[in-house]
Amino acid sequence: MTSDLAWQPSLLDGALDASAVSFDREFTGLRRQHLERGAWLDLAPRWCTGADVLFARLLAEVPWRGPREVRMYDRRVVEPRCTYRWHTGSGPPAPDPLPAMAVCLSERYGVEFTQIGVNLYRDGADSVAWHGDRVARDLPEALVALVSLGAVRPLRLRPTGGGAGIGLLPGPGDLLVMGGSCQRTWQHSVPKVRAAAPRISVQFRHVYQ
């Protein structure tokens, strides 16, 4: 399924050499944006270098599942994207350097990121509707970190219940961390677009009880 996807690696990101993949353990380019209602975003452009190498490896090696049916608030809907999850201490480990990224993020934010997930948007028709993370949206505060790989797709956020939203265009290797009350007081989505090359979102979560 994934081997037939049309994707062109960036000419700026070097040859597809596995040793080219690294990430900024010092978070030197990170900037915080405060939102309303106690939410905030941290954005570190090109936090992961060799992003195209990592994208190609995940695209080829992950046993992608989906599209699948998921619970969205009070109903079940078909999720038009492919996914996979790894859990620390259970099952096979995530590919390198994802576990090291999780440890680095855990040390910075003081929360253990024990779940690593990947979402594959195969083309412009794949998307995710407005939502906050299912468990985290019931908590006063929660953290979700993601690294974008592959094509640039719009990521939109809006206050829950209405209000002025914001739009982001995370590029290959960009790190985005949603914190504070973001999952509870804001919603986010990746909308459908007319045409797009494949994109992978790598997500790091603490499994809140």
Side-chain angles (χ1 to χ4, degrees):
M1 180 270 296
T2 56
S3 61
D4 295 331
L5 293 179
W7 173 72
Q8 178 66 42
S10 169
L11 297 178
L12 301 178
D13 213 17
L16 296 184
D17 176 4
S19 65
V21 182
S22 62
F23 57 94
D24 180 10
R25 296 176 182 272
E26 302 301 320
F27 299 87
T28 51
L30 187 142
R31 298 291 182 272
R32 178 163 296 187
Q33 179 177 354
H34 290 279
L35 306 176
E36 298 175 353
R37 308 178 189 181
W40 52 261
L41 301 174
D42 277 357
L43 180 63
R46 297 188 68 82
W47 182 72
C48 171
T49 57
D52 281 348
V53 179
L54 183 56
F55 177 94
R57 181 180 181 190
L58 295 177
L59 185 67
E61 297 181 7
V62 171
W64 298 101
R65 298 172 179 172
R68 59 177 183 153
E69 192 176 77
V70 297
R71 184 174 182 82
M72 188 73 72
Y73 296 98
D74 59 348
R75 60 195 179 100
R76 299 191 70 83
V77 299
V78 175
E79 183 182 54
R81 59 180 179 174
C82 298
T83 63
Y84 194 76
R85 301 285 183 271
W86 297 274
H87 296 269
T88 301
S90 175
D96 290 331
L98 303 189
M101 288 180 174
V103 171
C104 182
L105 289 163
S106 298
E107 291 174 350
R108 179 173 182 87
Y109 288 97
V111 171
E112 188 177 7
F113 289 100
T114 55
Q115 183 191 84
I116 303 173
V118 282
N119 298 325
L120 170 62
Y121 300 86
R122 298 162 294 180
D123 53 33
D126 278 0
S127 63
V128 61
W130 290 107
H131 71 289
D133 276 20
R134 186 172 61 85
V135 174
R137 66 176 178 242
D138 295 326
L139 300 174
E141 294 188 348
L143 284 166
V144 177
L146 66 87
V147 176
S148 188
L149 305 171
V152 176
R153 288 285 299 270
L155 174 66
R156 296 177 180 167
L157 296 97
R158 69 181 185 187
T160 302
I166 63 173
L168 302 172
L169 290 171
D174 288 0
L175 169 69
L176 174 68
V177 182
M178 294 179 279
S181 67
C182 198
Q183 300 303 318
R184 178 172 56 85
T185 63
W186 285 68
Q187 297 176 319
H188 56 278
S189 73
V190 177
K192 296 180 186 295
V193 295
R194 180 172 297 178
R199 172 183 180 254
I200 293 174
S201 173
V202 183
Q203 301 185 337
F204 302 87
R205 290 183 173 88
H206 174 76
V207 181
Y208 294 97
Q209 300 301 316

